Amino acid sequence: MARQAIIWILPVSIGVAVYLYLIDDSKPELPELKPVTSLEWNHEAGFADKIARGRVPTVFTGSPFLAWPAANWTPSYLATTVPFVLTKRSSKSIFKYFSKNKPLAAVVEVSKDYTEVIKSGREFITSITTASEENFYYASGPAEQLDLPSDVAETDSLTVHDLGNSSSTGTVNFWIGSRSVTAHMHYDTSHNFHAVVYGRKRFLLMPPSANQELKLYPCIHPYYRQAKTQLQRPVLCKKLSCILVTLSISLPIGSTR
């Protein structure tokens, strides 16, 4: 059975941590959660800084990202334009990052539960759009890895400068995965502006006060920034102040915009 691809891009990532847990699309058993704030993007200078200082997850309409050529990405476009993709494959839908460069990587009894292989753009897109329940595919990294520089525009209007460094610049990253691919519960060390360009992506967000409940791995562990705790979702949501965010773009595979 074919499974729809999900393509999303992180136009800018810089700043302070926020917790997030990406939810498996095939298991929507969630209780009623706090609503997310929604705003029209204000194109005045400093708007990104203002939003970051508020420290409230927010969904925007009319963001500068809409002017990027990357906003029009589809599976068929990437299949014909991306030279190659470093692809992760796993029999599990939840991917846990493994950093082999951490000091404890050589001594702890854990390992990465996915394999990595380089695929052509067409091979990768075929993998994620025809993936079965036994095989899940995922790719992520700096946008320059896709070798599509003209598709990425300026990031200044999306960059947060609230760290006392007015010259800070953002980084642009991409994620592409088959349906139901989920990131293990973790936190990020930067402000994130996420833009979904194809498919659907859901976040379950928790405040920093959830730290004790999640029992995070230490910074020298290969699972750094990820949680040891795997709570049942309804239990987790009942105990913590969770916010559910769903971003989606509905488009038939192979069509263009």
Side-chain angles (χ1 to χ4, degrees):
M1 178 181 176
R3 305 174 65 79
Q4 184 166 337
I6 304 169
I7 303 171
W8 68 101
I9 189 168
L10 185 61
V12 173
S13 171
I14 186 165
V16 183
V18 61
Y19 290 92
L20 66 87
Y21 179 34
L22 281 65
I23 301 171
D24 185 337
D25 263 349
S26 65
K27 300 177 180 178
E29 68 285 359
L30 290 166
E32 184 175 347
L33 301 175
K34 294 172 59 178
V36 64
T37 301
S38 182
L39 290 176
E40 177 73 20
W41 186 269
N42 185 327
H43 292 270
E44 294 181 359
F47 181 63
D49 293 334
K50 179 180 178 180
I51 292 300
R53 286 193 295 270
R55 300 186 184 280
V56 176
T58 305
V59 172
F60 298 101
T61 55
S63 81
F65 175 72
L66 295 176
W68 291 26
N72 296 308
W73 282 356
T74 61
S76 58
Y77 171 75
L78 295 179
T80 56
T81 55
V82 174
F84 61 86
V85 182
L86 179 61
T87 306
K88 298 179 177 67
R89 188 199 69 80
S90 177
S91 59
K92 301 176 181 178
S93 63
I94 298 179
F95 281 73
K96 181 184 288 187
Y97 281 101
F98 180 88
S99 178
K100 64 181 181 180
N101 297 321
K102 292 296 181 180
L104 290 181
V107 296
V108 295
E109 294 183 355
V110 298
S111 61
K112 63 181 183 181
D113 54 7
Y114 54 85
T115 58
E116 292 181 292
V117 62
I118 295 177
K119 290 177 175 281
S120 69
R122 186 172 298 280
E123 289 172 334
F124 173 65
I125 293 300
T126 298
S127 294
I128 64 173
T129 55
T130 61
S132 67
E133 293 286 356
E134 291 75 37
N135 290 288
F136 297 89
Y137 296 91
Y138 180 59
S140 65
E144 54 263 30
Q145 288 183 3
L146 299 180
D147 197 22
L148 300 172
S150 62
D151 286 3
V152 177
E154 64 83 21
T155 62
D156 187 64
S157 59
L158 290 167
T159 300
V160 174
H161 304 103
D162 70 344
L163 300 180
N165 181 6
S166 60
S167 64
S168 297
T169 57
T171 58
V172 181
N173 297 282
F174 75 93
W175 286 262
I176 306 174
S178 51
R179 185 181 178 186
S180 296
V181 163
T182 303
H184 185 85
M185 193 182 303
H186 69 282
Y187 72 89
D188 288 345
T189 56
S190 59
H191 291 294
N192 290 184
F193 286 96
H194 285 265
V196 172
V197 297
Y198 191 96
R200 181 172 78 155
K201 180 177 174 69
R202 298 201 297 168
F203 305 83
L204 185 60
L205 304 175
M206 287 157 277
S209 58
N211 175 41
Q212 294 299 315
E213 196 70 52
L214 299 181
K215 297 180 174 60
L216 301 168
Y217 286 98
C219 63
I220 59 174
H221 196 281
Y223 290 160
Y224 168 53
R225 294 195 296 108
Q226 298 171 98
K228 298 177 184 178
T229 305
Q230 282 298 292
L231 299 175
Q232 293 292 328
R233 293 193 184 101
V235 174
L236 182 147
C237 294
K238 184 177 180 180
K239 296 180 70 173
L240 306 175
S241 299
C242 300
I243 297 176
L244 177 66
V245 181
T246 300
L247 303 177
S248 64
I249 295 290
S250 298
L251 201 68
I253 291 177
S255 62
T256 60
R257 289 178 290 197

